[in-house]
Amino acid sequence: GNSVTQMEGPVTLSEEAFLTINCTYTATGYPSLFWYVQYPGEGLQLLLKATKADDKGSNKGFEATYRKETTSFHLEKGSVQVSDSAVYFCALSRTDKLIFGTGTRLQVFP
Amino acid sequence: ETGVTQTPRHLVMGMTNKKSLKCEQHLGHNAMYWYKQSAKKPLELMFVYNFKEQTENNSVPSRFSPECPNSSHLFLHLHTLQPEDSALYLCASSQDLGLETQYFGPGTRLLVL
């Protein structure tokens, strides 16, 4: 079946550190891939997406590349800020549905 | 501002109560969704509506009853809930069904006593 696996959190970093949050997926065919972010007390917001292999999604300094060979879509940012503290969800889209991972909490300290 | 609003933001109810959650989207979208978010579990898709017609019911217990009077409004009617139904209930919308980006509301935090 279709599923998304994310690294367990929390991920704790100091400001300006490099961030990687791993995401791998299992799917039939070629899904679209997404990263959503949920700030405290809010709903999910689309952060970035990629619709085909080797596409790179980017937004607000975050990047993720659709890797078909490794079925991965890892999220990276070169220098995190305290304001990036949130829960990050990897998701794939198949047959009209979004399938989410369990989320990874990121805590950034000054 | 995501364009999707939900009320109330917080709700406490007893197991014998009846309450309703409301979602409104101001984006002109045709598809709307209800999700349940519980701690340490993936988001669970509950219901999907497209052009006011229900297209998905993900084996949700009948104590949850959705209603979609038009493409802009979505309700979730609750009755005789259980404590394990306590969760964050998220509404989302998308332009159409398919591989479309979904836009989420802030959610209703529900506590069932």
Side-chain angles (χ1 to χ4, degrees):
Chain A
N2 300 312
S3 65
V4 175
T5 302
Q6 289 181 238
M7 60 190 292
E8 286 200 25
V11 173
T12 304
L13 295 173
S14 297
E15 208 164 24
E16 299 183 4
F18 184 86
L19 168 71
T20 300
I21 299 178
N22 290 338
C23 171
T24 57
Y25 67 90
T26 302
T28 53
Y30 304 100
S32 291
L33 301 174
F34 303 79
W35 277 101
Y36 278 82
V37 59
Q38 186 176 31
Y39 298 103
E42 298 183 17
L44 278 69
Q45 301 174 26
L46 178 67
L47 182 59
L48 54 84
K49 69 177 183 181
T51 57
K52 60 183 187 295
D54 300 324
D55 267 3
K56 177 187 284 188
S58 61
N59 186 26
K60 300 181 181 179
F62 291 89
E63 294 182 340
T65 301
Y66 190 138
R67 301 284 189 201
K68 186 164 72 78
E69 63 276 12
T70 54
T71 61
S72 64
F73 193 56
H74 304 321
L75 182 68
E76 296 181 336
K77 186 174 185 181
S79 177
V80 293
Q81 305 299 312
V82 172
S83 56
D84 293 326
S85 298
V87 181
Y88 292 82
F89 293 89
C90 185
L92 66 84
S93 180
R94 290 293 297 160
T95 60
D96 301 344
K97 297 181 188 179
L98 274 179
I99 297 169
F100 288 88
T102 52
T104 302
R105 182 174 299 279
L106 170 64
Q107 297 175 325
V108 181
F109 293 95
Chain B
E1 172 59 59
T2 63
V4 180
T5 58
Q6 290 186 243
T7 55
R9 294 294 307 274
H10 298 88
L11 178 63
V12 180
M13 59 187 290
M15 289 190 285
T16 58
N17 292 158
K18 290 184 180 181
K19 297 287 184 182
S20 295
L21 310 185
K22 179 181 176 182
C23 174
E24 183 174 1
Q25 57 96 358
H26 312 275
L27 302 169
H29 289 168
N30 299 314
M32 296 187 77
Y33 312 78
W34 278 117
Y35 288 88
K36 177 183 179 182
Q37 184 179 21
S38 305
K40 302 201 186 293
K41 294 172 71 173
L43 265 72
E44 301 172 49
L45 179 64
M46 301 174 71
F47 301 104
V48 181
Y49 278 81
N50 191 38
F51 289 99
K52 305 187 300 177
E53 299 297 321
Q54 188 179 124
T55 61
E56 182 95 20
N57 177 338
N58 220 20
S59 302
V60 180
S62 60
R63 57 186 184 270
F64 295 92
S65 174
E67 178 189 1
C68 188
N70 55 62
S71 293
S72 299
H73 294 85
L74 185 64
F75 295 89
L76 188 62
H77 304 299
L78 316 173
H79 62 98
T80 59
L81 293 193
Q82 305 298 311
E84 59 265 28
D85 297 322
S86 299
L88 181 68
Y89 288 85
L90 292 165
C91 174
S93 72
S94 63
Q95 184 61 56
D96 290 295
L97 290 182
L99 307 181
E100 296 284 343
T101 301
Q102 292 184 19
Y103 295 82
F104 284 79
T108 296
R109 175 71 62 186
L110 173 66
L111 177 62
V112 181
L113 301 177

